[in-house]
Amino acid sequence: WVIFLISHWGEQIGQKIRKISDCFHCQVYPYPESEASRTDTITKLHSQIQELSVTLEETEKYLAEVLDKVALALPTWRVQVQKMKAIYLVLNQCSFDVTKKCLIAEVWCPVQDLTQVQDALRQGSYQSGSSVECFVQRVPTSESPPTLIRTNKFTAGFQSIVDAYGVASYQEVNPAPYAIITFPFIFAIMFGDVGHGLLMFLFALWMVLYEDSPRLRQGTNEIWLTFFEGRYLILLMGAFSIYTGFIYNECFSKATVIFPSAWSVATMANHSSWSSAYLATHPVLTLDPNVTGVFRGPYPFGIDPIWSLATNHLNFLNSFKMKMSVVLGIVHMSFGVVLGIFNHVHFKQRHRLVLEFLPEMIFLLALFGYLVVLIFYKWIKFSAADSRVAPSILIHFIDMFLFTSNAENLPLYPGQVPVQTVLVVLALASVPVLLLGTPLYEWCRHRAPRTPLATGEQEPLLEGQEAGNSVNATMEDVESGGHSPDAKHSDFAEIFMHQAIHTIEYCLGCVSNTASYLRLWALSLAHAQLSEVLWTMVMRNGFVRLSYVGGVVLVPVFAAFAVLTVAILLVMEGLSAFLHALRLHWVEFQNKFYVGAGYKLCPFAFAPDTWD
C-alpha cells in the first residue's frame, strides 16, 4: 500500500477528492488536529489489522482442512465422473421411440449372458422407480455378428498371438487352443537346451508366482509389461525347451550322461589293432557299429552323449534335425487342413469336404506325406551293416516328379517307380478338382429352382444358440458365418477368381511351406553352435588357459559367461526363435483353415486400470 497525505481548503474540493479516492478504492482516514486523536486512530487501525490477520489465518486453516478432505475424496469423484461420462456416451448412441418416453438400444449380446442382462435391466428399473420396465427383444439381422472368445489369464497370451494375425470370423475354428501346445513346442525345437530352458522357465515361474504384486503389474516399462502379459507363454516355452534339450542332450552346449552310452570303446579296442604307434599317428579313432559289442542298441532317451565327442557330430545332427523338421512341418500342415473340416461342417458347406478338403489332403499327402513315409522307411529298412548302399531320398523325390528312375540310386522297395507315378498323377488330378469343383457346384446350385426359403423368407430366430453366440443371428447367419449364400460370391466369375487364387496359393504353398519348416533345423543348429562357441571362447579358456590355479579368477570369467548367455542366447536367440515360431503358425499353419476376417465384441465396461 502507498500512504499519502492530501491537504485542501474548502469542503467542495474535499468532496471531489473523496470521490476520486472512492473510484480508485482508496481508504480515506481523516487527519485529526491533536496528537492524542492521531495516536488513537493509529491504534484502532493496528487493532483492525491484527483482527484481519487472525481472520485470514483461521480461513487458511479451514481451507486447508477442506482441501485435505477433498484430496481423499477426489479419486472417488474422478471415477464417478468418468463413469457418468461413459454412461452418457452410451446413452447418446441410443434412439428415442415414437412416444419419446423411452430409449431404444440395439446391441450384440452373448446368449450365455442374456439372462444377466435381463436381470440387470429389471433391477435397474426397480431401483430407479421407473414406471416403464426395461425389456429385451431379439431382433433379426443379416449383419455378421462380432466374435467373443472368453479367455483367462493363462489363455489370454495365446489368444493375443492369434488375434494379432486376425480376429476369428463368427463361429470360425479358433487356433488358440491348439497353439497352447504347438507354439511352445515349435519354439523349443529351435531353442532346445536344458540349461537355457531352465533359466527361462524359472524367470516365468517367478512372474507367475508373484503375478498379483502391484510392483509387477503397474510397471511403466513397455517391454517389461510385454514379458509380464506373456508369462504363461514363456513358462511353457521354457518347459518345452527343457524337454527338447534332453532329447538333443544339450545343457549349455555340453552333453549329460544320464544313462550309460550304448557305444563301447573297450570292445572296439579289443577287436582292433590299436597299438601305441597307431594311436600316436591317428588322433581320431573310428567306432565301427558292425563289430559285435561296439554298438549295443539305441540310447534310452534322446541322443547318445558319445556323439558330443565325435568329429562327425555336426553331420549326424544335420541329417537328424533336417528330417525331423520336414516330418514335423508336414504333420503340422496336415493338422491345419484337417481343422478345416470343422468349418465346412459347422457352416453347412459339406460340398467343400469333397471339393476342397479331399483334393487338398490328396495333394499334400501324395507328395509330401509320401516323403515322410520314405524317411521312416529308410530309417527302419537300413541298418549299419548296409548303410553304405542306402539310396538317397532326395534323388528319389526329384525322380518322382520327373517320372524317371536313376540306375545308380537303388530303389527303396520293389515297385517304387509305379507307386510314385500313381501318387504324382493323383496329386496332379486333384488340382483341377480343387480349382473347378466349388465354382461349378455354386453355378449349378444357383441355376437350380429355388425353394421359398431361398427367395427371401427368413428362418425363425434361434432360441438356443451355443454359448458365446450373438442373440441377433438368424439360422442363415450361423450357417454362413454372417453372410447369406446368395449375397456372398453371387457372381460366377468372382467365385472362380477366388477359388483360382486359393488353388494357386495352396499348391505353391505346400512346396514353399514345407521348405519353410527347415528353419527349425537351421535355428536349432545355430543355437547349438552359438552355445558351443560361447562355452569354448569363455568358460573353456577360463578353465584351461589361466596359469593361476584357483577359483578367484573364474569369478569374472563366469560373470562374463552369464551375461553373454542371458543377452545373446536367451534374449536375442529366444526372440529370434519366437518370431520364427510366430511365422510358422501364421503363414504355414493358420492359412490352411483360418480366415480371421471378423471383429471383436467390445462390450460396455468400466476399465479397472483407470481407477485401480
Side-chain angles (χ1 to χ4, degrees):
W1 293 89
V2 178
I3 303 174
F4 51 90
L5 181 67
I6 299 177
S7 177
H8 62 86
W9 288 267
E11 185 64 27
Q12 187 175 2
I13 296 177
Q15 292 179 356
K16 292 181 179 180
I17 293 175
R18 290 187 183 90
K19 291 181 180 179
I20 295 174
S21 300
D22 292 339
C23 290
F24 288 96
H25 304 284
C26 297
Q27 298 289 340
V28 179
Y29 301 96
Y31 189 80
E33 294 293 336
S34 62
E35 181 69 24
S37 299
R38 292 196 294 270
T39 304
D40 185 54
T41 302
I42 292 175
T43 303
K44 291 180 180 180
L45 290 176
H46 281 294
S47 176
Q48 292 179 3
I49 292 174
Q50 187 175 4
E51 291 177 357
L52 290 175
S53 299
V54 173
T55 303
L56 289 175
E57 184 178 356
E58 294 296 329
T59 303
E60 289 179 354
K61 289 182 180 179
Y62 175 74
L63 291 177
E65 294 177 357
V66 172
L67 291 177
D68 289 339
K69 295 180 180 179
V70 170
L72 297 177
L74 186 61
T76 305
W77 293 352
R78 183 182 290 112
V79 171
Q80 291 175 352
V81 171
Q82 290 177 348
K83 287 185 176 182
M84 291 172 63
K85 291 177 64 178
I87 292 173
Y88 279 108
L89 178 63
V90 174
L91 291 177
N92 289 334
Q93 298 176 0
C94 302
S95 57
F96 283 102
D97 68 334
V98 180
T99 61
K100 303 291 184 179
K101 292 184 178 180
C102 62
L103 292 175
I104 300 176
E106 295 183 2
V107 299
W108 295 106
C109 177
V111 174
Q112 183 177 349
D113 300 331
L114 186 57
T115 305
Q116 298 180 10
V117 173
Q118 291 173 338
D119 294 340
L121 291 175
R122 191 179 299 111
Q123 184 179 3
S125 300
Y126 174 76
Q127 292 181 354
S128 62
S130 175
S131 59
V132 180
E133 183 178 356
C134 299
F135 62 92
V136 176
Q137 182 179 358
R138 301 171 69 172
V139 181
T141 180
S142 60
E143 184 181 354
S144 178
T147 301
L148 172 63
I149 300 176
R150 303 180 189 274
T151 59
N152 51 36
K153 60 184 180 181
F154 177 76
T155 60
F158 299 94
Q159 189 63 52
S160 299
I161 292 177
V162 175
D163 291 342
Y165 176 83
V167 179
S169 302
Y170 182 59
Q171 294 185 337
E172 186 182 16
V173 172
N174 182 22
Y178 311 103
I180 294 176
I181 299 299
T182 58
F183 190 92
F185 181 66
I186 288 181
F187 171 86
I189 293 173
M190 298 178 280
F191 198 76
D193 190 286
V194 176
H196 302 154
L198 183 62
L199 293 178
M200 182 178 292
F201 178 82
L202 293 177
F203 171 66
L205 183 63
W206 170 71
M207 289 191 293
V208 170
L209 293 178
Y210 294 94
E211 61 184 6
D212 295 329
S213 174
R215 293 180 57 190
L216 299 183
R217 283 186 171 275
Q218 299 176 359
T220 57
N221 193 315
E222 185 177 355
I223 298 178
W224 163 253
L225 292 178
T226 303
F227 279 109
F228 184 75
E229 292 297 328
R231 57 193 180 276
Y232 288 98
L233 175 61
I234 299 175
L235 184 73
L236 288 185
M237 291 193 304
F240 277 80
S241 298
I242 296 174
Y243 170 73
T244 54
F246 278 115
I247 292 180
Y248 298 157
N249 203 347
E250 292 182 0
C251 181
F252 296 110
S253 78
K254 309 308 292 181
T256 56
V257 185
I258 301 176
F259 304 100
S261 175
W263 293 79
S264 176
V265 180
T267 304
M268 188 66 192
N270 295 331
H271 288 77
S272 60
S273 55
W274 287 355
S275 60
S276 300
Y278 181 85
L279 296 176
T281 56
H282 293 78
V284 179
L285 303 176
T286 302
L287 298 180
D288 189 358
N290 293 319
V291 177
T292 305
V294 174
F295 181 67
R296 296 187 295 268
Y299 197 65
F301 185 81
I303 295 178
D304 198 305
I306 201 172
W307 280 105
S308 62
L309 305 176
T311 56
N312 59 343
H313 172 58
L314 192 58
N315 294 333
F316 169 73
L317 287 184
N318 266 332
S319 177
F320 169 74
K321 292 185 177 181
M322 180 178 63
K323 293 180 175 63
M324 177 191 66
S325 301
V326 172
V327 171
L328 293 177
I330 294 174
V331 171
H332 198 210
M333 289 190 297
S334 301
F335 179 62
V337 177
V338 171
L339 287 179
I341 296 177
F342 299 98
N343 285 332
H344 301 329
V345 173
H346 179 75
F347 294 127
K348 302 296 188 296
Q349 299 171 341
R350 299 183 183 275
H351 63 279
R352 294 183 181 270
L353 295 174
V354 179
L355 301 178
E356 288 189 11
F357 167 73
L358 192 59
E360 289 175 352
M361 287 301 294
I362 291 176
F363 185 87
L364 180 62
L365 297 181
L367 299 180
F368 302 100
Y370 176 71
L371 177 62
V372 175
V373 173
L374 290 183
I375 292 174
F376 280 100
Y377 183 81
K378 183 179 178 181
W379 276 343
I380 298 173
K381 170 76 173 177
F382 295 92
S383 61
D386 53 355
S387 60
R388 295 183 181 276
V389 298
S392 171
I393 295 178
L394 181 60
I395 295 178
H396 275 307
F397 198 60
I398 295 174
D399 293 339
M400 176 179 173
F401 289 95
L402 299 177
F403 295 99
T404 60
S405 60
N406 194 332
E408 298 180 358
N409 195 43
L410 300 178
L412 284 167
Y413 57 89
Q416 181 177 355
V417 175
V419 171
Q420 293 181 165
T421 303
V422 171
L423 291 176
V424 174
V425 170
L426 280 175
L428 295 177
S430 64
V431 175
V433 177
L434 181 61
L435 175 63
L436 302 174
T438 300
L440 291 177
Y441 173 83
E442 294 291 341
W443 182 69
C444 295
R445 191 171 68 89
H446 287 303
R447 284 176 57 90
R450 298 184 178 181
T451 60
L453 178 62
T455 59
E457 295 183 5
Q458 290 184 340
E459 284 276 356
L461 293 179
L462 293 179
E463 294 296 332
Q465 299 176 16
E466 296 178 0
N469 298 345
S470 172
V471 299
N472 296 341
T474 62
M475 179 66 74
E476 200 172 27
D477 298 327
V478 177
E479 291 178 355
S480 59
H483 303 280
S484 61
D486 292 335
K488 188 176 181 181
H489 302 319
S490 58
D491 188 19
F492 176 77
E494 184 181 355
I495 300 174
F496 179 78
M497 185 62 65
H498 180 273
Q499 193 65 24
I501 294 174
H502 171 72
T503 303
I504 295 173
E505 180 184 11
Y506 179 81
C507 295
L508 295 181
C510 285
V511 180
S512 62
N513 293 347
T514 303
S516 181
Y517 276 95
L518 292 177
R519 70 184 68 237
L520 300 176
W521 160 46
L523 267 293
S524 176
L525 284 177
H527 185 80
Q529 290 302 305
L530 280 175
S531 301
E532 187 173 352
V533 167
L534 187 61
W535 177 272
T536 303
M537 298 295 292
V538 180
M539 289 300 294
R540 189 173 182 273
N541 289 335
F543 286 126
V544 176
R545 295 191 178 182
L546 293 177
S547 59
Y548 173 76
V549 180
V552 177
V553 181
L554 287 179
V555 173
V557 174
F558 178 77
F561 175 76
V563 171
L564 293 176
T565 297
V566 172
I568 298 178
L569 295 179
L570 286 182
V571 178
M572 295 179 60
E573 276 289 307
L575 180 60
S576 175
F578 178 85
L579 294 177
H580 284 284
L582 194 65
R583 181 245 154 76
L584 290 177
H585 275 76
W586 281 359
V587 179
E588 278 71 27
F589 174 62
Q590 290 182 186
N591 71 346
K592 298 295 185 296
F593 67 98
Y594 186 67
V595 178
Y599 61 100
K600 279 187 177 182
L601 174 67
C602 298
F604 175 77
F606 297 118
D609 296 337
T610 308
W611 40 78
D612 273 355

